[in-house]
């Protein structure tokens, strides 16, 4: 018994630093996405997730957190974030895939991997369900500013207070601020919260913004640069400065399809890149995707505007900090839910299918 207790507390301690948007944030992202699925994407989601997850991206969104420290899945824990080695306290925020994902194990590569895998009909039902649950989760995590920040372990090592309770900055963003908001304003019900975000997208304050969330043009320069220099497979797109979400997914899937069945696409990419750019390049880390990097940069930029702008000892859940953080969290969750729907729609219906 004692050893069971010891094991459990070790697991609990280990789990703390890399906690993600808490369950509420992930579920909200999933419920928002579910609302905007196109017919084929919806059919796949429902049959893949089945009754275990109420056929819903909302219910399935937290699975990836529940397994990341379990035997057989510990390799997945670095995939929940990218450690941007920038300087948010000096006002310098940035994300670079080569600098920050040098070992090829981060949320950017994971999104590419599971985008390819969810579409791969040669994989088993269980493997494609796993890929869907990872995408459902990682498109949420990438919207959490402290999942795109290396400073103080993404804020895990910064002590903070939320509603009088001791916590850390990362956890306040994952859980504390959001759960107070849902508790105070949405009857403590995540579906009610998600419904309010959905209404804002359909007819409220997000309506005019939503189409911009699907463009991946704001900061595509690094991506465009690598498209020009690296082998992109069958149909390199000349108009790389304006990568859209459709271009991104279509290009990735076309490339995967052109590789031999049963052949690991990431190894293949690494091999071809070593040939092209020299053996020193961290080749396997470069994904051909533009959009996830744009999403990461958007999140990371909040490190320079809102996330670290508190005064010493300020209660993050009862002060002006809370008032500034809530709209950012609402926006990021709505945006990532909408993007998740669009991403799956492109994969399964061939088009984002959204206004
Ligand atoms: C599935 O839906 C039912 C009814 O709405 C709910 O009570 C249950 O908690 C849901 N299960 C999951 C895994 O979300
Ligand atoms: C891709 O997904 C498979 C299956 O989950 C996993 O074993 C592999 O480590 C993943 N690779 C990357 C780079 O995420
Ligand atoms: Zn996570």
């Amino acid at each position: 018994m004692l050893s069971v207790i010891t094991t459990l507390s070790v697991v609990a301690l280990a789990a703390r630093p890399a906690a993600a948007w808490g369950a509420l944030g992930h579920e909200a992202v999933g419920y928002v996405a579910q609302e905007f699925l196109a017919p084929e994407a919806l059919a796949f989601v429902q049959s893949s997730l089945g009754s275990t997850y109420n056929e819903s991206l909302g219910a399935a969104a937290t699975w990836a957190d529940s397994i990341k420290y379990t035997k057989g899945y510990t390799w997945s824990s670095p995939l929940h974030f990218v450690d941007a080695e920038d300087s948010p306290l000096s006002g310098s925020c940035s994300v670079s895939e080569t600098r920050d994902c040098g070992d090829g194990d981060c949320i950017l590569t994971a999104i590419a991997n599971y985008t390819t895998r969810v579409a791969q009909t040669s994989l088993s039902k269980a493997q494609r369900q796993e890929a869907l649950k990872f995408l459902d989760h990682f498109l949420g995590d990438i919207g959490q500013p402290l999942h795109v920040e290396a400073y103080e372990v993404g804020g895990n090592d910064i002590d903070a207070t939320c509603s009088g309770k001791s916590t850390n900055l990362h956890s306040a963003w994952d859980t504390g601020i959001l759960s107070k908001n849902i508790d105070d304003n949405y009857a403590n019900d995540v579906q009610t919260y998600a419904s309010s975000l959905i209404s804002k997208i359909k007819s409220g304050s997000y309506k005019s913004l939503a189409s911009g969330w699907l463009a991946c043009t704001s900061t595509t320069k690094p991506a465009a640069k690598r498209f020009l220099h690296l082998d992109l497979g069958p149909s390199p797109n000349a108009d790389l400065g304006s990568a859209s979400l459709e271009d991104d997914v279509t290009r990735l899937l076309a490339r995967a399809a052109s590789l031999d069945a049963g052949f690991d696409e990431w190894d293949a990419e690494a091999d071809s890149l070593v040939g092209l750019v020299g053996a020193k390049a961290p080749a396997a880390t470069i994904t051909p995707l533009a959009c996830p990097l744009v999403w990461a940069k958007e999140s990371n930029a909040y490190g320079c505007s809102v996330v670290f702008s508190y005064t010493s000892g300020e209660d993050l859940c009862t002060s002006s900090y809370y008032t500034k953080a809530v709209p950012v969290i609402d926006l990021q969750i709505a945006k990532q839910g909408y993007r998740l729907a669009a991403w799956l729609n492109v994969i399964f219906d061939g088009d984002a299918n959204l206004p």
Side-chain angles (χ1 to χ4, degrees):
M1 190 60 191
L2 192 62
S3 75
V4 170
I5 290 169
T6 308
T7 309
L8 286 175
S9 49
V10 167
V11 168
L13 280 175
R16 193 185 59 88
W21 277 134
L24 294 172
H26 282 291
E27 285 164 7
V29 166
Y31 287 124
V32 169
Q34 187 84 7
E35 182 69 22
F36 294 101
L37 292 175
E40 296 296 323
L42 178 63
F44 178 80
V45 163
Q46 289 178 327
S47 74
S48 176
L49 297 178
S51 57
T52 317
Y53 297 103
N54 277 352
E55 306 188 344
S56 165
L57 294 169
T62 56
W63 170 83
D65 272 340
S66 72
I67 52 88
K68 69 184 171 188
Y69 296 112
T70 62
K71 212 172 163 206
Y73 269 111
T74 50
W75 54 268
S76 70
S77 66
L79 306 181
H80 293 247
F81 55 87
V82 54
D83 268 339
E85 300 282 351
D86 57 355
S87 307
L89 269 50
S90 359
S92 171
C93 283
S94 63
V95 186
S96 153
E97 190 172 350
T98 41
R99 181 193 63 192
D100 304 324
C101 192
D103 58 3
D105 270 344
C106 76
I107 197 164
L108 299 169
T109 47
I111 289 173
N113 188 30
Y114 293 110
T115 299
T116 305
R117 290 177 67 88
V118 81
Q120 211 167 325
T121 50
S122 59
L123 295 183
S124 70
K125 205 166 184 273
Q127 287 171 313
R128 294 180 77 196
Q129 190 206 61
E130 180 200 70
L132 179 63
K133 290 185 291 184
F134 275 131
L135 283 179
D136 187 4
H137 187 88
F138 295 149
L139 265 75
D141 274 344
I142 203 169
Q144 209 280 46
L146 287 166
H147 277 248
V148 191
E149 182 53 67
Y151 180 68
E152 295 285 10
V153 198
N156 274 292
D157 287 354
I158 299 177
D159 290 337
T161 306
C162 173
S163 302
K165 294 198 187 93
S166 293
T167 180
N168 65 69
L169 185 64
H170 188 104
S171 179
W173 274 79
D174 269 350
T175 311
I177 296 168
L178 180 60
S179 58
K180 178 177 159 57
N181 182 27
I182 296 180
D183 200 11
D184 288 357
N185 301 307
Y186 304 95
N188 201 18
D189 178 39
V190 66
Q191 300 210 37
T192 306
Y193 173 63
S195 299
S196 116
L197 298 178
I198 290 164
S199 316
K200 283 188 189 171
I201 294 171
K202 287 186 171 169
S203 55
S205 54
Y206 296 153
K207 190 175 180 349
S208 61
L209 306 174
S211 65
W213 297 343
L214 304 186
C216 303
T217 50
S218 50
T219 47
T220 49
K221 223 173 180 173
K225 220 167 144 192
R226 51 183 202 246
F227 287 138
L228 294 175
H229 293 302
L230 305 176
D231 176 23
L232 290 173
S235 50
N237 186 337
D239 187 23
L240 296 162
S242 59
S244 70
L245 190 138
E246 285 90 344
D247 295 339
D248 230 8
V249 172
T250 308
R251 193 183 293 125
L252 182 75
L253 297 184
R255 198 153 141 284
S258 77
L259 297 163
D260 285 343
F263 193 59
D264 186 301
E265 57 271 24
W266 294 100
D267 289 347
E269 182 182 24
D271 291 348
S272 77
L273 294 181
V274 166
L276 278 163
V277 298
K280 272 186 298 182
T285 71
I286 307 291
T287 78
L289 297 175
C291 299
L293 189 61
V294 169
W295 306 337
K297 288 180 180 190
E298 264 175 35
S299 291
N300 166 271
Y302 286 113
C304 281
S305 55
V306 176
V307 177
F308 295 100
S309 65
Y310 47 83
T311 53
S312 163
E314 187 174 357
D315 188 316
L316 304 185
C317 298
T318 58
S319 62
S320 62
Y321 186 87
Y322 176 81
T323 316
K324 276 184 301 182
V326 165
V328 173
I329 291 172
D330 288 353
L331 178 69
Q332 289 300 93
I333 288 175
K335 213 195 250 181
Q336 290 311 118
Y338 197 71
R339 284 168 168 168
L340 173 59
W343 199 252
L344 295 172
N345 292 350
V346 176
I347 296 171
F348 292 100
D349 297 74
D351 190 288
N353 241 298
L354 291 169

